[in-house]
């Protein structure tokens, strides 16, 4: 497992395009098993899996002290995305009710990985159709002005934002939330309930782009995502497979386009 991936991209600045290279943070699932049963799957950057799982178990109340742990081990060598946790007999008796109440996840495979996630989602989601390209300069402007639509962020400095636009770059829906996934759910859900989701063409985000946000946008059939922060490598792989355009803000208000740049038109 690696914590970053090199990616060739296009950089657009003042309407001029050049190629470049960038490192994308890694994102992989980590399946956590407790006493032999699946407990949770979390997305993380590979590395420090055992400390990650130990901290997770402390936060979940599975353990109170290091001595409660009998063992933390990889399921099949150190190249897997599955870590198993065994607690002492005394601790197991103390948390029996907690483990019984827990609704265990359905993921039981030891072989989960980013490639599996992409393959499964591509089967479940159809690629987004090609429509007329969006004005590249205008989309960048929408991203740069995202903060203008975030009063909660201005007040608290602790809220994420998501804004959705139509083909003419008219705003359709804007939402804020302490969670980036929640902000996107709110913005999409508003259009969904109003029956206007089919007009959505551009999504701008205040956060980095993780694969879950690409998945949500694909379900909403939004073909272009622009974000303040960079995407993960897994997000780019999924967007590439689903024919979606991903880009993020670069230096000096440039735009870094990671896949399917044909949806953004720039002045010649």
């Amino acid at each position: 497992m690696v914590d970053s991936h090199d990616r060739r991209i296009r950089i657009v600045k003042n309407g001029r395009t050049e190629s470049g290279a960038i490192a994308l943070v890694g994102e992989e699932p980590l399946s956590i098993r407790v006493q032999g049963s699946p407990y949770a799957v979390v997305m993380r950057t590979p590395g420090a899996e055992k400390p990650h799982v130990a901290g997770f178990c402390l936060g979940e109340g599975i353990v109170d002290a290091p001595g409660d742990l009998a063992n933390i081990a990889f399921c099949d060598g150190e190249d897997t995305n599955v870590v198993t946790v065994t607690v002492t007999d005394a601790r197991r008796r103390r948390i029996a009710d907690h483990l019984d109440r827990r609704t265990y996840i359905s993921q039981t495979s030891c072989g989960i990985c980013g490639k599996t996630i992409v393959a499964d989602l591509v089967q479940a989601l159809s690629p987004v159709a090609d429509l007329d390209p969006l004005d590249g300069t205008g989309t960048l402007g929408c991203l740069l002005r995202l903060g203008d639509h975030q009063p909660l962020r201005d007040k608290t400095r602790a809220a994420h934002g998501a804004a959705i636009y139509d083909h003419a770059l008219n705003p359709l829906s804007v939402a804020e939330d302490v969670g980036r996934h929640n902000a996107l759910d709110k913005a999409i859900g508003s259009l969904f309930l109003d029956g206007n989701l089919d007009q959505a063409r551009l999504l701008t985000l205040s956060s980095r782009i993780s694969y879950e946000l690409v998945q949500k946008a694909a379900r909403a059939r939004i073909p272009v995502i622009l974000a303040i922060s960079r995407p993960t490598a897994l997000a780019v792989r999924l967007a590439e497979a689903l024919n979606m355009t991903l880009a993020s803000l670069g230096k000096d208000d440039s735009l870094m386009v990671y896949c399917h740049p044909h949806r953004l038109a720039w002045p010649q």
Side-chain angles (χ1 to χ4, degrees), residues 223-244:
V224 180
I225 304 176
L226 271 58
I228 299 296
S229 298
R230 298 175 183 178
T232 66
L234 185 58
V236 174
R237 291 211 305 268
L238 180 58
E240 196 166 36
L242 292 174
N243 193 36
M244 298 171 67

Side-chain angles (χ1 to χ4, degrees), residues 123-161:
Q123 287 184 358
L125 299 168
S126 57
V128 177
D130 279 331
L131 302 170
D132 291 337
L134 302 177
D135 174 66
T137 302
T139 60
L140 176 58
C142 290
L143 180 61
L144 292 172
R145 294 189 298 273
L146 178 57
D148 296 344
H149 304 289
Q150 292 190 254
L152 184 60
R153 173 184 173 273
D154 289 341
K155 182 179 181 180
T156 66
R157 312 306 294 179
H160 282 296

Side-chain angles (χ1 to χ4, degrees), residues 9-14 16 18 21-22 140 143-144 227-228 230 248-258:
I9 64 170
R10 293 189 183 186
I11 302 173
V12 183
K13 183 177 180 181
N14 297 326
R16 297 191 176 189
E18 60 183 42
I22 201 169
L140 176 58
L143 180 61
L144 292 172
I228 299 296
R230 298 175 183 178
S248 69
L249 193 62
K251 292 182 179 179
D252 301 321
D253 293 343
S254 62
L255 196 65
M256 299 187 291
V257 186
Y258 302 93

Side-chain angles (χ1 to χ4, degrees), residues 55-216:
F56 175 89
C57 288
L58 178 62
E60 286 282 302
I62 295 170
V63 297
D64 285 337
D68 292 333
L69 289 166
N71 192 33
I72 299 181
F74 291 96
C75 184
D76 184 22
E78 295 199 7
D79 257 347
T80 80
N81 278 326
V82 181
V83 174
T84 61
V85 176
T86 305
V87 298
T88 64
D89 288 342
R91 185 63 186 176
R92 180 179 54 80
R93 289 192 293 270
R94 292 189 64 181
I95 64 171
D97 289 345
H98 172 77
L99 295 179
D100 288 342
R101 288 196 305 269
R102 174 74 181 187
T103 301
Y104 284 114
I105 57 172
S106 61
Q107 174 59 263
T108 59
S109 169
C110 279
I112 61 171
C113 66
K115 291 181 179 178
T116 302
I117 286 177
V118 170
D120 289 345
L121 288 177
V122 170
Q123 287 184 358
L125 299 168
S126 57
V128 177
D130 279 331
L131 302 170
D132 291 337
L134 302 177
D135 174 66
T137 302
T139 60
L140 176 58
C142 290
L143 180 61
L144 292 172
R145 294 189 298 273
L146 178 57
D148 296 344
H149 304 289
Q150 292 190 254
L152 184 60
R153 173 184 173 273
D154 289 341
K155 182 179 181 180
T156 66
R157 312 306 294 179
H160 282 296
I164 300 174
Y165 300 82
D166 64 14
H167 183 267
L169 303 182
N170 298 308
L172 297 174
S173 177
V174 180
E176 289 185 277
D177 194 276
V178 69
R180 55 199 174 91
H181 301 85
N182 299 337
L184 180 53
D185 284 340
K186 290 176 180 180
I188 289 175
S190 176
L191 295 179
F192 179 69
L193 292 175
D194 290 342
N196 297 322
L197 190 55
D198 61 340
Q199 299 178 34
R201 296 292 182 271
L202 169 68
L203 166 65
T204 61
L205 298 168
S206 64
S207 65
R208 67 177 174 84
I209 312 171
S210 62
Y211 93 95
E212 302 104 318
L213 300 185
V214 174
Q215 177 185 357
K216 291 175 184 292

